[in-house]
Amino acid sequence: MAQIINGKEVAMNVRKSLKTEVDLLRANGIIPKFAVIMVGDNSASKIYIKNKTNACNELGIECEEYILSETTNMEELLDLINSLNKRNEISGILLQSPIPKHLDIDKAFKAISPSKDVDGFNPENVGKLCLNQDCFISCTPNGVMKLLEEYKIDIEGKNAVVIGRSNIVGKPMLQCLLNKNATVTICHSKTKNLTEITKKADILVAAIGKPNFVTKDMVKEDAVVIDVGINRMEDGSICGDVDFKNVSDVCSYITPVPGGVGPMTVAMLMSNIVKAVKN
Ligand code: NDP
């Protein structure tokens, strides 16, 4: 039976140590301030933003929320981003995705000043991650790396397989593992013989968005299995991309959903905001 990687506990510890850092900053008259932008009315985004602002409040990070209407045009969005870029007291800016289809999200991410890009989506930060330079790293992959570190899981020389190649999870996950000297394979919907590949993984990361996609037969014995997926089921429950019940019989470590990678995403965002303030 696999050891459960307790993301909730690790995230709590990260937040505790960040609180000490924020207290120190505030004692020196520096009030960390963060701006979050949402465009349109998306119920899931509202929950994510609430989680983020709650975490900010708990740590003593001030938060400005900008809720823009569905009909906002690109110029208005860029104007807001530029005005936030110019304000020195704002250390971090986050644009909650998705945004309405008529808007160009890549252009919007590019407009966020790289030094305030706490989500790590600006091309400058993406490029720096590829070059293994200091930068803001996308929060979910960064959270996965923190979990591996906390559980003292060896990465160097290991075969790591990432399923999913999105810009926010899969691709930065590949880079993070590669930067730690894993041999990384990235899979996607066009990958042939997926099981053959995943079976070779010492570390398997699932970021697909399909409930229970990774089954026991796809996992090597004693592999470390990280489930990034968050799938909302019809009964309102949340389920990961990994068939947790059966896969945990064969692997050595596994993240649960909920309580695995999810809490780490918010914790790493807080960590990036504190980093931005210090920068
Ligand atoms: P995307 O939909 O952007 O990407 C999904 C990826 O999975 C794509 O690269 C797609 O391939 C690949 N894929 C789809 N079907 C298959 C298949 N049959 N075989 C192999 N690969 C497949 O999702 P995200 O990366 O944004 O998110 C992935 C999951 O992680 C979601 O459940 C999301 O909710 C969750 N998530 C969780 C976070 C957290 O904090 N824990 C944060 C962000 C996301 P292709 O590129 O070819 O289409």
Side-chain angles (χ1 to χ4, degrees), residues 127-228:
K128 282 185 171 176
L129 179 63
C130 291
L131 297 170
N132 201 6
Q133 294 173 0
D134 182 46
C135 63
F136 288 112
I137 302 175
S138 172
C139 301
T140 303
N142 206 13
V144 170
M145 296 311 284
K146 181 75 181 165
L147 287 177
L148 296 174
E149 184 191 316
E150 286 297 312
Y151 279 80
K152 298 187 170 35
I153 291 164
D154 278 342
I155 301 173
E156 186 161 304
K158 300 290 178 190
N159 283 332
V161 174
V162 179
I163 318 178
R165 58 171 164 181
S166 70
N167 291 340
I168 62 165
V169 188
K171 283 182 201 154
M173 190 73 253
L174 151 83
Q175 283 301 333
C176 288
L177 290 161
L178 184 62
N179 289 347
K180 292 288 177 197
N181 297 322
T183 303
V184 194
T185 308
I186 190 156
C187 303
H188 45 79
S189 67
K190 310 286 184 290
T191 299
K192 297 214 164 70
N193 306 321
L194 184 64
T195 297
E196 240 172 63
I197 300 166
T198 59
K199 266 277 191 195
K200 293 195 177 117
D202 302 307
I203 300 170
L204 179 62
V205 181
I208 312 150
K210 293 194 170 159
N212 300 319
F213 181 90
V214 175
T215 48
K216 189 176 174 173
D217 59 304
M218 295 169 75
V219 178
K220 179 177 157 180
E221 206 179 316
D222 288 336
V224 174
V225 178
I226 306 290
D227 190 352
V228 177

Side-chain angles (χ1 to χ4, degrees), residues 52-255:
K52 289 165 189 175
T53 52
N54 282 348
C56 281
N57 292 339
E58 177 196 299
L59 260 61
I61 297 169
E62 287 186 1
C63 216
E64 285 185 8
E65 275 180 66
Y66 294 86
I67 315 288
L68 307 184
S69 87
E70 188 83 30
T71 56
T72 301
N73 63 38
M74 202 58 208
E75 200 184 336
E76 289 162 332
L77 177 59
L78 292 178
D79 279 350
L80 172 62
I81 293 173
N82 288 329
S83 71
L84 294 168
N85 281 340
K86 283 188 195 131
R87 285 174 54 199
N88 278 341
E89 77 279 16
I90 302 274
S91 306
I93 304 169
L94 180 147
L95 173 64
Q96 183 66 47
S97 65
I99 62 174
K101 293 228 172 350
H102 66 277
L103 298 172
D104 182 343
I105 198 156
D106 291 334
K107 208 169 172 185
F109 285 145
K110 198 173 166 197
I112 296 174
S113 162
S115 63
K116 298 188 180 191
D117 172 37
V118 287
D119 245 348
F121 296 157
N122 179 290
E124 185 174 316
N125 283 312
V126 176
K128 282 185 171 176
L129 179 63
C130 291
L131 297 170
N132 201 6
Q133 294 173 0
D134 182 46
C135 63
F136 288 112
I137 302 175
S138 172
C139 301
T140 303
N142 206 13
V144 170
M145 296 311 284
K146 181 75 181 165
L147 287 177
L148 296 174
E149 184 191 316
E150 286 297 312
Y151 279 80
K152 298 187 170 35
I153 291 164
D154 278 342
I155 301 173
E156 186 161 304
K158 300 290 178 190
N159 283 332
V161 174
V162 179
I163 318 178
R165 58 171 164 181
S166 70
N167 291 340
I168 62 165
V169 188
K171 283 182 201 154
M173 190 73 253
L174 151 83
Q175 283 301 333
C176 288
L177 290 161
L178 184 62
N179 289 347
K180 292 288 177 197
N181 297 322
T183 303
V184 194
T185 308
I186 190 156
C187 303
H188 45 79
S189 67
K190 310 286 184 290
T191 299
K192 297 214 164 70
N193 306 321
L194 184 64
T195 297
E196 240 172 63
I197 300 166
T198 59
K199 266 277 191 195
K200 293 195 177 117
D202 302 307
I203 300 170
L204 179 62
V205 181
I208 312 150
K210 293 194 170 159
N212 300 319
F213 181 90
V214 175
T215 48
K216 189 176 174 173
D217 59 304
M218 295 169 75
V219 178
K220 179 177 157 180
E221 206 179 316
D222 288 336
V224 174
V225 178
I226 306 290
D227 190 352
V228 177
I230 301 178
N231 305 293
R232 276 168 219 284
M233 309 304 280
E234 269 180 10
D235 64 0
S237 64
I238 285 175
C239 146
D241 287 346
V242 176
D243 174 8
F244 180 89
K245 192 168 166 282
N246 293 311
V247 169
S248 53
D249 281 344
V250 285
C251 63
S252 59
Y253 289 90
I254 189 164
T255 59

